[in-house]
Amino acid sequence: AGKKAWALGGAAAALALAALASGVMVPNAAAGPSAVQGPESAALDEQPYSPATLAALRAKGTPVFVNYTAAWCVSCQVNDRVALSTSRVAEAFRRQGVAYLKADWTRRDPVIAADLARFGRAGVPLYLVYPADGRAPQVLPPILTEGAVLKALAGARGPSAGPGVQARNSAVAGA
């Protein structure tokens, strides 16, 4: 366990240094989300996380992305900047009809802590994508890329989602 902790700490430190070297600014808790957005960024239409909100969205068959994050989490802020707040990701959220819930663990909320523990995590970041069909969530890696997020969102609707797939299925069926 000690080696794993050192490896994760080293990875986080390397990520933080890379972020600083590339000009990514990590906001303080009071700065708000706009402090991490750049010229090609796009804000997601977020809702605060609660188990009740998640359950209601899942009951309606809505795919859901849950971002367990904290203002003091450097990795979380970098992931937000490079993988979640891009215009391509924002468009994919809209196109796929994925709800975005933000589980803010800045003040160590016990409900969020229980969720983290349920997924074997002692802290943030944690990214979950709940598909529309009610299957178990996909757990994304703690260091995100735009491509990994786009791939997860594409699978969130399920294999029969989207007008392109429906049109292709109709053409194959001869309709």
Side-chain angles (χ1 to χ4, degrees), residues 81-157:
R81 164 75 178 185
V82 302
L84 294 175
S85 294
T86 69
S87 56
R88 290 180 61 202
V89 167
E91 175 57 29
F93 267 92
R94 283 188 290 277
R95 189 175 55 251
Q96 298 296 334
V98 178
Y100 179 67
L101 300 183
K102 189 170 185 178
D104 187 352
W105 200 48
T106 300
R107 292 187 173 85
R108 311 266 186 181
D109 180 282
V111 172
I112 294 172
D115 279 358
L116 292 169
R118 189 165 47 95
F119 286 94
R121 302 293 173 92
V124 293
L126 174 63
Y127 305 99
L128 303 175
V129 179
Y130 289 87
D133 62 9
R135 287 177 289 137
Q138 175 184 1
V139 179
L140 299 183
I143 304 301
L144 294 177
T145 63
E146 182 183 61
V149 174
L150 292 171
K151 183 176 178 182
L153 295 176
R157 269 267 161 227

Side-chain angles (χ1 to χ4, degrees), residues 6-100:
W6 277 101
L8 288 175
L15 181 64
L17 288 174
L20 292 173
S22 67
V24 171
M25 298 299 293
V26 178
N28 63 29
S34 64
V36 295
Q37 294 179 349
E40 293 185 39
S41 67
L44 296 174
D45 184 19
E46 74 182 47
Q47 300 175 53
Y49 169 82
S50 75
T53 302
L54 176 61
L57 289 166
R58 296 204 74 204
K60 291 191 303 188
T62 302
V64 182
F65 186 105
V66 183
N67 176 2
Y68 292 85
T69 187
W72 43 259
C73 172
V74 174
S75 297
C76 301
Q77 301 308 316
V78 172
N79 283 338
D80 182 61
R81 164 75 178 185
V82 302
L84 294 175
S85 294
T86 69
S87 56
R88 290 180 61 202
V89 167
E91 175 57 29
F93 267 92
R94 283 188 290 277
R95 189 175 55 251
Q96 298 296 334
V98 178
Y100 179 67

